[in-house]
């Protein structure tokens, strides 16, 4: 089991959860979403969080983004308590959550309108530099001519690509992906993995990816953390040794298969029925 | 003929048919002018008395628009205030419903008491008539904004004001414009009520005097003018609505434009 006391803090540590617990509700209805969790993520790491549903994977993302506050313990980003550090965060959810009244391009450009230092220049650059940047990014994910469309004119897969663009346009140091490929078909998913890998290798943000798909975790992540449920906790933390750029073919090699099998067994063995806690 | 133009043609036929039927029934049963004047007679009255009616029409339009304008400003302000938090929404709603259920006619004498007769009480009556639908719609639009949309912004560390401007208000626009269409007709009701009770100008006043003189064609001419003004403003706001909130109706023309 990983513990903050065992893993020394290094120069590279970018995200740190220290003895974090999170409970919802009060009294009898109290639910512990996350119980005494420690996690360190280095700068430029791509960490996948896998585990059974309800194990608090998304909770970790929300804590690191500052959308919710830990009941106990501390969350540090870039060496300071979450929210205090001027870190640019990008986020993509399972739902594309595009704003329906804006064009796809304007949706993608939204972070530039909000996040400093871009927001100060937004009015002067939104029709030139920022617009070009959005178009370039859209082109990279295969949406070259869709900038002027409205979200409802795009398919789910296309919206998810646009959602990735929005998460990346402000060059975030920290990228939060909450099952962004979960609702897509297998082929679109695999295609987007490749796109995601390419973008990550180019921009090198620190990524936390929540997923149910072990193949996805193996393909994308440099490190996979397995969580268990009730209370949510990290029970295994392993590096993914395969070289980059990874391919879909790689996921059929014996080494890859045995890795996903090991992860699968770990998750299946924690089903509530077999739980001994 | 496309289904769209067919619908428009039938609407026009229905309107014209209504007046034709009215005229025909008046002739058939020999209805007296004092009871129900014929449409042709109303149009003749409009033409004949037009120069005299014009300033009153302008007065009513002006009063309504000023009242409506204030109503929009105050309505949006209150709506944003109430809709911005769940707590404010729950706390303020009962009071709002209380105010809304007061018959607005009842407050005209109070306004007259405070401000004398004339334009001011008419503007105020128009204003309070149209505030409520705007407040309720703006507040509801804001209060029902999907938390996922807000999360996108909050993850970017957007301020409350950022979220309001970029998510809350745009999302509320369809609700807001729906309320404007209702409100603008209500503003007319407010103006006319007040003009009828306490004013010496405006279409409401003209109709009041005409009815006491048993000049029924003139009363109906006043009604026609009010109907025309009401429909015109409704149409203008419909047009603005479809331009601004086309995304909510997902019209093909809007998407292409």
């Amino acid at each position: 089991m990983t513990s903050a006391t065992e893993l020394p803090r290094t120069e590279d540590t970018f995200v740190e959860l220290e003895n974090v617990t999170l409970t919802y509700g009060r009294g009898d209805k109290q639910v512990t979403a996350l119980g005494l969790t420690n996690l360190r993520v280095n700068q430029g790491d791509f960490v996948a969080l896998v585990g059974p549903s309800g194990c608090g994977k998304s909770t970790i993302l929300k804590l690191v983004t500052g959308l919710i506050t830990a009941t106990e313990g501390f969350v540090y980003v870039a060496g300071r308590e979450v929210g205090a550090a001027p870190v640019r965060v990008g986020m993509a959810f399972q739902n594309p959550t595009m704003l329906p009244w804006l064009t796809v391009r304007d949706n993608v450009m939204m972070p530039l309108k909000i996040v400093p230092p871009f927001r100060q220049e937004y009015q002067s650059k939104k029709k030139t530099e920022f617009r070009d940047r959005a178009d370039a990014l859209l082109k990279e994910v295969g949406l070259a001519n869709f900038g002027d469309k409205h979200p409802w004119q795009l398919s789910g897969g296309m919206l998810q690509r646009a959602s990735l663009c929005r998460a990346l346009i402000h060059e975030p140091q920290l990228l939060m992906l909450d099952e962004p490929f979960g609702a897509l078909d297998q082929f679109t998913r695999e295609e987007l993995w490749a796109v995601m890998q390419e973008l990550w290798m180019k921009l090198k943000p620190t990524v936390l990816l929540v997923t149910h798909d072990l193949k996805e975790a193996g393909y994308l992540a440099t490190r996979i953390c397995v969580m268990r449920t009730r209370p949510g906790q990290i029970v295994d933390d392993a590096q993914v040794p395969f070289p980059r750029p990874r391919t879909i073919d790689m996921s059929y090699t014996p080494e890859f298969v045995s890795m996903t099998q090991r992860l699968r067994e770990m998750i299946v063995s924690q089903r509530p029925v077999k739980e001994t806690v | 003929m496309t289904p769209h133009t067919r619908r428009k043609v039938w609407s026009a036929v229905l309107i014209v048919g209504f007046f034709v039927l009215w005229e025909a029934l008046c002739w058939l049963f020999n209805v007296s002018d004092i009871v129900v004047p014929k449409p042709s007679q109303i149009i003749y009255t409009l033409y004949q008395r037009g120069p005299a009616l014009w300033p009153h029409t302008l007065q009513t339009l002006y009063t309504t628009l000023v009242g409506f304008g204030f109503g929009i400003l105050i309505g949006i302000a209150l709506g944003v205030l109430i809709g911005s938090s769940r707590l404010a929404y729950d706390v303020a709603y009962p009071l709002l419903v209380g105010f809304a259920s007061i018959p607005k006619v009842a407050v005209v004498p109070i306004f007259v008491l405070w401000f004398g007769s004339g334009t001011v009480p008419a503007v105020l009556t128009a204003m309070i008539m149209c505030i409520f639908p705007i407040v309720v719609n703006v507040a509801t639009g804001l209060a029902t904004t999907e938390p996922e949309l807000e999360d996108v912004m909050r993850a970017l560390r957007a301020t409350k004001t950022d979220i309001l401007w970029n998510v809350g208000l745009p999302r509320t626009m369809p609700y807001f414009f729906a309320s404007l269409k209702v409100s603008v007709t209500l503003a007319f009701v407010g103006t006319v009520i007040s003009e009828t009770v306490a004013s010496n100008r405006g279409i409401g006043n003209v109709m009041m005097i005409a009815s006491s003189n048993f000049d029924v064609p003139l009363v109906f001419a006043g009604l026609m003018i009010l109907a025309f003004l009401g429909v015109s403003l409704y149409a203008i706001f419909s047009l603005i609505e479809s331009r601004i909130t086309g995304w909510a109706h997902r019209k093909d023309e809007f998407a292409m434009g």
Side-chain angles (χ1 to χ4, degrees), chain A residues 65-82:
Chain A
T65 333
L67 287 179
I68 50 174
T69 318
T71 315
E72 270 167 62
F74 300 95
V75 181
Y76 300 102
V77 177
R80 295 167 70 178
E81 216 162 324
V82 66

Side-chain angles (χ1 to χ4, degrees), chain A residues 142-183:
Chain A
L143 290 176
N145 295 312
F146 291 92
D148 289 317
K149 299 272 187 229
H150 279 81
W152 72 85
Q153 295 172 295
L154 270 60
S155 68
M158 290 159 113
L159 285 177
Q160 209 50 264
R161 287 163 205 253
S163 169
L164 279 184
C165 290
R166 182 179 58 189
L168 287 165
I169 187 139
H170 53 304
E171 288 167 6
Q173 291 121 302
L174 191 57
L175 184 60
M176 301 283 152
L177 303 174
D178 196 349
E179 296 184 54
F181 315 114

Side-chain angles (χ1 to χ4, degrees), chain B residues 127-155:
Chain B
M127 187 186 85
I128 58 159
M129 285 290 280
C130 63
I131 284 181
F132 183 71
I134 298 177
V135 172
V136 169
N137 274 275
V138 170
T140 308
L142 283 177
T144 57
T145 301
E146 296 84 350
E148 292 81 22
L149 293 185
E150 287 183 12
D151 274 356
V152 173
M153 303 296 281
R154 289 190 5 187

Side-chain angles (χ1 to χ4, degrees), chain B residues 79-90:
Chain B
V80 167
L81 211 64
I82 293 170
S84 57
S85 87
R86 185 77 231 176
L87 185 69
Y89 191 78
D90 290 342

Side-chain angles (χ1 to χ4, degrees), chain A:
Chain A
M1 192 185 283
T2 326
S3 149
T5 44
E6 289 163 22
L7 252 174
R9 178 192 274 135
T10 63
E11 291 270 305
D12 284 343
T13 305
F14 194 63
V15 175
E16 190 178 1
L17 270 69
E18 202 183 277
N19 299 323
V20 169
T21 57
L22 188 95
T23 48
Y24 293 113
R26 278 181 196 165
D28 293 342
K29 288 179 186 165
Q30 193 165 344
V31 179
T32 307
L34 206 59
L36 213 59
T37 302
N38 290 293
L39 175 69
R40 280 211 176 113
V41 180
N42 287 342
Q43 184 125 37
D45 243 2
F46 197 130
V47 176
L49 298 166
V50 297
S53 26
C55 67
K57 304 186 293 283
S58 300
T59 305
I60 289 187
L61 290 203
K62 284 182 180 169
L63 282 167
V64 175
T65 333
L67 287 179
I68 50 174
T69 318
T71 315
E72 270 167 62
F74 300 95
V75 181
Y76 300 102
V77 177
R80 295 167 70 178
E81 216 162 324
V82 66
V87 174
R88 289 197 298 275
V89 184
M91 201 158 182
F93 305 87
Q94 181 169 10
N95 238 312
T97 58
M98 293 276 133
L99 305 178
W101 52 89
L102 296 178
T103 61
V104 171
R105 183 188 295 111
D106 287 340
N107 264 296
V108 170
M109 280 162 70
M110 182 55 81
L112 299 177
K113 196 173 176 184
I114 301 298
V115 177
F118 306 106
R119 73 179 288 160
Q120 286 82 356
E121 305 167 329
Y122 186 76
Q123 286 310 320
S124 57
K125 289 187 180 172
K126 68 177 172 185
K127 296 233 166 87
T128 54
E129 194 193 315
F130 287 175
R131 189 193 159 97
D132 294 344
R133 192 198 283 208
D135 284 346
L137 206 51
L138 282 168
K139 192 178 170 192
E140 217 157 327
V141 299
L143 290 176
N145 295 312
F146 291 92
D148 289 317
K149 299 272 187 229
H150 279 81
W152 72 85
Q153 295 172 295
L154 270 60
S155 68
M158 290 159 113
L159 285 177
Q160 209 50 264
R161 287 163 205 253
S163 169
L164 279 184
C165 290
R166 182 179 58 189
L168 287 165
I169 187 139
H170 53 304
E171 288 167 6
Q173 291 121 302
L174 191 57
L175 184 60
M176 301 283 152
L177 303 174
D178 196 349
E179 296 184 54
F181 315 114
L184 304 175
D185 65 277
Q186 190 61 35
F187 294 106
T188 314
R189 202 184 294 183
E190 287 174 358
E191 200 189 322
L192 283 185
W193 292 349
V195 171
M196 188 64 236
Q197 174 172 250
E198 206 175 303
L199 289 169
W200 175 74
M201 288 171 73
K202 203 166 89 182
L203 302 168
K204 279 285 175 182
T206 309
V207 186
L208 280 179
L209 166 75
V210 163
T211 181
H212 283 290
D213 188 336
L214 298 174
K215 207 163 129 184
E216 176 174 307
Y219 182 105
L220 284 170
T222 49
R223 202 177 131 197
I224 299 177
C225 293
V226 181
M227 296 187 66
R228 63 154 212 201
T229 178
R230 259 173 258 169
Q233 238 161 10
I234 295 168
V235 286
D236 186 79
D237 191 339
Q239 297 288 326
V240 184
F242 308 107
R244 294 200 191 256
R246 295 178 190 155
T247 58
I248 295 296
D249 289 340
M250 210 179 262
S251 70
Y252 295 103
T253 59
E255 294 86 358
F256 195 102
V257 173
S258 77
M259 179 189 75
T260 47
Q261 254 167 3
R262 191 181 74 85
L263 292 169
R264 187 181 173 279
E265 270 160 32
M266 212 160 357
I267 294 166
V268 170
S269 70
Q270 294 159 24
R271 278 189 181 151
V273 226
K274 294 181 181 174
E275 206 170 357
T276 48
V277 178

